[in-house]
Amino acid sequence: DTLANVFRRLHIDLSQMHAMISSHPRNKSLMHVHAGDRIHLVYDNQQTVHELVYRPNLTTQLTIKRATEGYESNLTSVQLD
């Protein structure tokens, strides 16, 4: 499965996905989403994505949020217990 397929299944315009990926170089990791990877999407009734959270591995979390203009992203380390 790819991120594009997830967006299509949810009827979310792929232009939002492309805008997220192109908004910062670190977001290019979204191009490598595989079946089984966890993605958390927050979107409204108009299929506008407000937040996407992706964990490319156990200790890293990529959070992308809709901003006034475009998207803002943050890469954080996650502590393991």
Side-chain angles (χ1 to χ4, degrees):
D1 218 1
T2 65
L3 186 60
N5 287 340
V6 171
F7 272 58
R8 282 187 195 103
R9 245 190 331 270
L10 296 171
H11 305 287
I12 298 173
D13 189 343
L14 291 178
S15 66
Q16 293 181 80
M17 180 193 72
H18 294 295
M20 283 184 216
I21 291 171
S22 64
S23 68
H24 195 282
R26 73 176 143 243
N27 299 351
K28 293 198 185 303
S29 66
L30 291 172
M31 295 170 44
H32 306 288
V33 171
H34 301 289
D37 288 351
R38 289 184 175 243
I39 299 171
H40 177 79
L41 282 170
V42 177
Y43 59 97
D44 60 26
N45 292 337
Q46 286 78 40
Q47 283 12 59
T48 300
V49 176
H50 295 278
E51 183 178 78
L52 180 148
V53 179
Y54 170 54
R55 300 242 342 234
N57 57 55
L58 289 175
T59 60
T60 306
Q61 178 172 299
L62 174 64
T63 303
I64 303 172
K65 293 184 179 184
R66 182 172 287 281
T68 304
E69 294 192 23
Y71 295 89
E72 296 175 350
S73 66
N74 188 25
L75 192 64
T76 55
S77 294
V78 177
Q79 296 273 334
L80 296 178
D81 294 331

